[in-house]
Amino acid sequence: MFNYTFHWRPAIQALPQMLGGAVVTLQIAVISMIIGILIGVVLAVMSGSSSKILRGIAGTWIEIARNTPALFQIYMAYFGLGQFGIHLDSFVALLSGIAFNNAGYLAETFRGGLRAVPATQVRAARSLGFGPISAFRLIVLPQMFRAVFYPMTNQMVWAILMTSLGVVVGLNSDLTGVTQELNVKTFRTFEYFAIAAVLYYLIAKAVTLGARAFAYRLFRY
Amino acid sequence: MIEIENVHKSFGDLKVLDNVSLTVKKGEVVSIIGGSGSGKSTLLMCINGLEPIQSGSIRVDGIEVHAKGTDINKLRTKIGIVFQQWNAFPHLTVLENVTLAPRKVLKKSKAEADAIGRKQLEHVGLGDKLDVYPSKLSGGQQQRMAIARALAMEPQYMLFDEVTSALDPQLVGEVLDTMRLLAKEGMTMILVTHEMAFAREVSDRVAFFKSGKMHEIGTPEQIFGNPQRPETAQFLASVL
Ligand SMILES: Nc1ncnc2c1ncn2[C@@H]1O[C@H](COP(=O)(O)OP(=O)(O)OP(=O)(O)O)[C@@H](O)[C@H]1O
Ligand SMILES: [Mg+2]
């Protein structure tokens, strides 16, 4: 009934290769977060603007990112854009899909964070002679980031896990891609994916704990 | 000099300033008193352009505050304003709160800004709190920090909007002392206040507002001793 014998040795030997994949995974997650944060801030501001068009663009982005499968978003970046003659390689397509998703979720989070900063803070800054952009950058943003720091960490973990979807667009250099290639060669499915799962878990945990330590240093007030 | 001429201001249908004219000369201290909703805060915000006006004019050192071409950010560096809610920047230390605008707006070097910041914080009695975050300060200390923050811009004018109203009674005195000191040093000030004794003591002139109109302006002796308008007398009877 149960006659699968575990062979850990080859899987352990493949560890350096898998760690290489983990680095790529982390790279995609970090870059997609940076892009997601930048676009997310812009979308959050746009969704609070008085212009209907800007609000519409931001609203549409947020709605699609949050209410369609991340898998489709990545597919769209790879195959969908291909239809329009824009050919992204799998790395860039995965990165764009995740960044799109991050931006949508983060925009919604940031919108809440912006509401947590009282309008009187902006008024105080403006009365000191700050222009609207410097007041936003120096007074509002730092306070917003504190308010949204933990949800932002969650999104980072989510971004790491989403990178595993890269296989659907043929990415073979990230942790899941590397694992899948090893699996195909050896059919040691359980061993490789168990190790990959542990590595994902460790990365996610490291990010959460690292963020907590970072927040402790950053938000002393 | 601050010259306010025939200013009208409404929020929608609500008339908040109704033909207000007032000139404040260099070195003068003018207090504004009046009931809740009479437009006192709005007037201060119109003076530094935080609120637009519908008609009339406001000039500060001859510059039209509400003219299209006016560099309002530059003008605001000349006019310090302190609000009832002190609005400390919570993510910055006390010294950073005070030096941020001198550095980023006036483009002073860090050393120069720090020197000014220290001086102003000592001035308001917070010389030992430089590296503390505002959340660790009492309301009175936060309010004095807000005053130091405004003073660090080395403004020509200071506007105070009921800066003691949100404070516990035992903390009011320390903030009034700071303002008394400024008045003595010759700072040009407009202060909206409910502290009648204080207004009487420090002001050169006192203006009484009701429903957006300036009903009476005169020396403290006139306003508090011998008001010329029945509305003034009535208001004072209700608060004294
Ligand atoms: N942003 C705003 N939008 C609409 N109405 C406003 C706004 N700000 C003030 N008002 C109204 O304008 C009137 C004058 O307000 P203002 O704050 O200038 O009064 P005040 O004399 O400072 O009163 P208080 O002593 O209570 O501070 C009030 O009726 C107030 O409700
Ligand atoms: Mg008021």
Side-chain angles (χ1 to χ4, degrees):
Chain A
M1 157 193 115
F2 185 83
N3 54 10
Y4 184 91
T5 31
F6 292 105
H7 289 279
W8 289 101
R9 189 177 301 260
I12 302 285
Q13 274 163 354
L15 200 56
Q17 229 176 316
M18 293 177 78
L19 285 173
V23 170
V24 174
T25 286
L26 201 56
Q27 259 170 6
I28 297 171
V30 168
I31 302 171
S32 74
M33 268 306 273
I34 293 171
I35 299 172
I37 289 170
L38 294 175
I39 298 177
V41 167
V42 174
L43 291 178
V45 171
M46 277 166 69
S47 68
S49 95
S50 51
S51 151
K52 245 195 173 126
I53 299 170
L54 293 185
R55 275 207 314 271
I57 295 171
T60 309
W61 188 314
I62 294 169
E63 285 296 306
I64 295 175
R66 287 164 51 92
N67 297 303
T68 63
L71 178 72
F72 291 15
Q73 295 166 21
I74 294 159
Y75 245 75
M76 280 309 218
Y78 192 70
F79 299 109
L81 291 181
Q83 303 261 295
F84 296 97
I86 305 168
H87 296 285
L88 305 179
D89 69 30
S90 13
F91 182 92
V92 177
L94 177 64
L95 185 64
S96 315
I98 299 176
F100 176 84
N101 186 277
N102 285 344
Y105 274 91
L106 290 172
E108 190 68 6
T109 308
F110 292 164
R111 214 153 69 169
L114 288 178
R115 272 197 292 269
V117 183
T120 51
Q121 287 280 311
V122 175
R123 195 179 64 175
R126 296 304 306 275
S127 70
L128 287 166
F130 287 104
I133 294 171
S134 354
F136 183 75
R137 193 168 56 83
L138 297 168
I139 304 302
V140 178
L141 267 193
Q143 296 185 55
M144 182 207 77
F145 275 121
R146 182 186 182 159
V148 302
F149 195 78
Y150 288 107
M152 226 164 76
T153 324
N154 289 342
Q155 185 67 31
M156 175 67 191
V157 170
W158 184 227
I160 291 166
L161 302 183
M162 272 192 289
T163 57
S164 65
L165 296 171
V167 283
V168 302
V169 291
L171 186 68
N172 57 11
S173 56
D174 73 313
L175 180 49
T176 299
V178 168
T179 311
Q180 176 63 7
E181 296 225 316
L182 291 166
N183 173 42
V184 169
K185 276 188 226 148
T186 63
F187 294 108
R188 289 273 140 217
T189 309
F190 180 83
E191 288 88 336
Y192 286 117
F193 277 95
I195 291 177
V198 169
L199 289 178
Y200 275 114
Y201 180 86
L202 291 177
I203 300 171
K205 264 296 174 227
V207 164
T208 313
L209 294 176
R212 202 167 294 169
F214 188 59
Y216 182 77
R217 289 213 40 195
L218 206 60
F219 306 130
R220 278 167 301 157
Y221 59 92
Chain B
M1 192 157 66
I2 299 177
E3 299 159 282
I4 301 166
E5 267 172 31
N6 309 111
V7 165
H8 290 263
K9 152 109 197 150
S10 344
F11 288 112
D13 290 337
L14 181 70
K15 261 196 164 191
V16 179
L17 293 175
D18 188 357
N19 203 26
V20 171
S21 299
L22 169 68
T23 299
V24 179
K25 292 197 286 285
K26 268 261 133 73
E28 229 188 340
V29 177
V30 174
S31 291
I32 298 176
I33 60 172
S36 186
S38 56
K40 308 179 298 291
S41 299
T42 306
L43 179 66
L44 294 193
M45 298 218 265
C46 290
I47 292 173
N48 78 348
L50 286 172
E51 282 289 348
I53 59 176
Q54 265 78 48
S55 68
S57 89
I58 300 177
R59 283 186 303 279
V60 174
D61 290 344
I63 297 165
E64 284 285 353
V65 177
H66 296 273
K68 266 219 152 56
T70 300
D71 182 347
I72 192 69
N73 295 331
K74 191 166 167 212
L75 189 64
R76 282 181 186 144
T77 63
K78 286 185 169 198
I79 311 169
I81 184 164
V82 184
F83 301 98
Q84 177 177 347
Q85 279 305 336
W86 34 85
N87 303 319
F89 301 137
H91 58 301
L92 302 176
T93 64
V94 168
L95 184 62
E96 288 166 348
N97 257 273
V98 173
T99 56
L100 187 71
R103 286 178 62 190
K104 304 287 179 178
V105 177
L106 300 179
K107 310 282 181 212
K108 291 194 190 292
S109 70
K110 181 165 168 17
E112 208 181 339
D114 281 356
I116 296 170
R118 275 169 213 281
K119 187 184 93 186
Q120 292 303 346
L121 284 164
E122 266 157 35
H123 198 182
V124 301
L126 291 174
D128 57 339
K129 301 284 184 199
L130 303 180
D131 297 321
V132 165
Y133 284 93
S135 58
K136 300 281 187 304
L137 299 182
S138 72
Q141 289 171 328
Q142 292 200 43
Q143 190 56 293
R144 285 185 281 140
M145 184 197 82
I147 295 173
R149 187 169 72 183
L151 290 174
M153 298 298 282
E154 303 180 324
Q156 306 292 307
Y157 306 94
M158 283 291 285
L159 314 178
F160 292 94
D161 189 5
E162 291 185 37
V163 292
T164 57
S165 296
L167 296 177
D168 292 339
Q170 72 272 20
L171 299 178
V172 167
E174 61 189 60
V175 174
L176 292 184
D177 282 343
T178 301
M179 292 162 71
R180 203 173 271 126
L181 183 65
L182 285 178
K184 227 175 255 153
E185 291 168 353
M187 176 61 80
T188 311
M189 314 203 286
I190 302 180
L191 37 111
V192 171
T193 186
H194 287 316
E195 303 279 340
M196 296 303 156
F198 183 70
R200 185 171 197 160
E201 172 200 333
V202 301
S203 310
D204 297 304
R205 286 186 298 157
V206 177
F208 169 67
F209 274 66
K210 187 182 175 187
S211 316
K213 280 198 176 67
M214 192 168 84
H215 280 257
E216 183 170 356
I217 182 163
T219 60
E221 292 72 31
Q222 175 192 326
I223 299 293
F224 293 108
N226 182 22
Q228 304 296 299
R229 296 285 297 263
E231 293 90 347
T232 315
Q234 222 167 29
F235 171 73
L236 289 170
S238 74
V239 296
L240 290 178

